[in-house]
Amino acid sequence: MAIKFKLIAACCDNMGIGKNGDLPWRLKNEMAHFTRMTTETLDANKKNVVILGRTSWDCIPNKYKPLAGRINFILTSRKLDVSQFEDTYVFYCWNDIVNRLNDANFKQKYEDVWVAGGSKVYEAAMSSEYFYRLYLTRIKKEFECDTFFPNLVSHVEKVSDTRVPQGIQEEKGIQWEIEVWENRKLKLDN
Ligand SMILES: NC(=O)c1ccc[n+]([C@@H]2O[C@H](COP(=O)([O-])OP(=O)(O)OC[C@H]3O[C@@H](n4cnc5c(N)ncnc54)[C@H](OP(=O)(O)O)[C@@H]3O)[C@@H](O)[C@H]2O)c1
């Protein structure tokens, strides 16, 4: 099967995704959505791959590393020692990631490929030929941020997906809603 990148992100009204190497908000249910979407598989013998930039990996508290029940891919230019972490691999470029995802043995092990940020990682995934869908949580408030979601590419259309919470959600007095965008080029090319 062809590789399909599913991007998952949460951004606020000013398109921010991060501040000081952390999330600008603490929304438990929104985080639970991230965990469920990136972890669940149809085939119980397979796991999903989650691709993270090195800064986003660093942001995960040690007790939550690696992201449990998922195969963690980290993009970096540095020598990172991840030998203590199960199912965790370091990559120095996207090409190596694609080669691993296409490897016949590795293909037996994974189901979906989730791209989980940050900024440049989303941008590269969204402009790649493998971009399939973007699951974007719109947090309906402005937060002070230093990291932002890139501009959406123009060749996307909104689709519905019953697996995500439907309509406006609210927690801690903050409203959020999930938009699902699909790459129209994939449909046209197939
Ligand atoms: N709201 C959300 O949905 C969400 C999701 C994810 C992250 N975040 C937030 O966003 C912030 C982190 O994001 P960020 O954009 O600053 O950083 P990031 O994308 O997580 O990491 C950037 C790093 O990734 C590595 N990298 C990226 N592309 C690469 C490539 N093509 N080849 C090799 N290495 C590559 C480089 O690591 P080296 O420097 O090691 O070379 C680069 O410095 C944090 O505040 C985090 O909490 C928010």
Side-chain angles (χ1 to χ4, degrees):
M1 245 202 9
I3 299 169
K4 281 182 174 177
F5 288 159
K6 291 181 176 176
L7 280 60
I8 187 160
C11 72
C12 57
D13 278 346
N14 43 324
M15 295 308 284
I17 61 167
K19 175 88 200 296
N20 297 331
D22 202 353
L23 294 178
W25 46 78
R26 283 278 168 270
L27 298 172
K28 228 172 140 194
N29 298 340
E30 204 286 323
M31 187 53 84
H33 149 74
F34 169 84
T35 303
R36 189 173 61 77
M37 293 300 283
T38 56
T39 309
E40 274 183 6
T41 53
L42 295 173
D43 182 340
N45 295 315
K46 291 186 175 182
K47 291 180 180 178
N48 293 326
V49 170
V50 177
I51 302 173
L52 294 160
R54 195 263 315 154
T55 313
S56 297
W57 167 258
D58 282 350
C59 295
I60 304 171
N62 264 333
K63 61 178 176 179
Y64 296 123
K65 272 184 189 163
L67 294 176
R70 289 151 283 185
I71 303 168
N72 292 229
F73 278 17
I74 308 157
L75 250 177
T76 183
S77 59
R78 304 175 186 196
K79 288 268 168 260
L80 269 192
D81 180 10
V82 292
S83 53
Q84 77 268 39
F85 300 115
E86 193 193 351
D87 277 338
T88 303
Y89 305 92
V90 170
F91 292 89
Y92 300 105
C93 64
W94 280 100
N95 224 12
D96 291 350
I97 288 184
V98 168
N99 287 340
R100 179 69 61 88
L101 293 172
N102 275 326
D103 177 271
N105 284 328
F106 191 71
K107 273 192 166 178
Q108 316 288 322
K109 299 188 174 132
Y110 78 89
E111 195 165 286
D112 284 338
V113 181
W114 288 96
V115 176
S119 204
K120 287 276 182 303
V121 173
Y122 286 134
E123 193 174 6
M126 204 165 31
S127 42
S128 89
E129 64 189 284
Y130 307 109
F131 168 45
Y132 169 51
R133 276 186 177 184
L134 164 64
Y135 289 77
L136 184 63
T137 302
R138 296 278 193 184
I139 294 170
K140 297 173 182 290
K141 188 179 167 175
E142 290 206 1
F143 285 83
E144 202 185 318
C145 294
D146 57 20
T147 314
F148 296 86
F149 194 80
N151 289 333
L152 234 68
V153 290
S154 57
H155 51 272
V156 283
E157 66 187 6
K158 251 191 202 175
V159 294
S160 59
D161 185 331
T162 51
R163 291 207 305 147
V164 306
Q166 304 293 304
I168 294 180
Q169 313 292 311
E170 188 165 328
E171 53 184 317
K172 291 184 178 167
I174 299 170
Q175 294 190 328
W176 54 270
E177 186 170 24
I178 297 171
E179 294 177 354
V180 186
W181 294 90
E182 192 165 288
N183 182 0
R184 272 190 289 124
K185 275 190 182 168
L186 277 191
K187 217 183 276 174
L188 296 173
D189 291 349
N190 288 331

